[in-house]
Amino acid sequence: MIIPPGRLSPETLQRLIEDFVSREGTDNGDDSTEAQKVARVRAELDAESAVIYYDAEFSQCILAARNQVPPEMIRAWKEEQQG
């Protein structure tokens, strides 16, 4: 299930993004500050090139590039948005 960022409280969204950018292996040699990385992730969420989804198998929310999310999940999300 994809979770629109607007459905999360601002504090929860901020913590989720900060957790994502601070994880080992996400910097790939990027010397940006954490604030810059957080801003980039927010922009990607706003542009829908990244999404937040709930993984029932692991019982957790995951922030991922849209192309890494199962296509059927994206279809269901788009259908829900359309009404």
Side-chain angles (χ1 to χ4, degrees), residues 11-38:
E11 296 82 16
T12 300
L13 180 59
Q14 182 70 20
R15 284 192 303 269
L16 180 67
I17 295 170
E18 287 172 354
D19 177 64
F20 175 77
V21 300
S22 67
R23 272 191 247 141
E24 183 179 330
T26 59
D27 66 1
N28 300 320
D30 185 354
D31 291 331
S32 302
T33 66
E34 185 170 320
Q36 290 169 322
K37 292 176 186 179
V38 166

Side-chain angles (χ1 to χ4, degrees), residues 2 31 39 52:
I2 293 185
D31 291 331
I52 300 165

Side-chain angles (χ1 to χ4, degrees), residues 22-64:
S22 67
R23 272 191 247 141
E24 183 179 330
T26 59
D27 66 1
N28 300 320
D30 185 354
D31 291 331
S32 302
T33 66
E34 185 170 320
Q36 290 169 322
K37 292 176 186 179
V38 166
R40 264 198 310 269
V41 170
R42 279 188 183 271
E44 290 175 12
L45 287 169
D46 290 342
E48 297 182 355
S49 59
V51 296
I52 300 165
Y53 71 96
Y54 180 74
D55 185 320
E57 181 180 347
F58 296 105
S59 298
Q60 66 181 358
C61 285
I62 298 172
L63 200 151

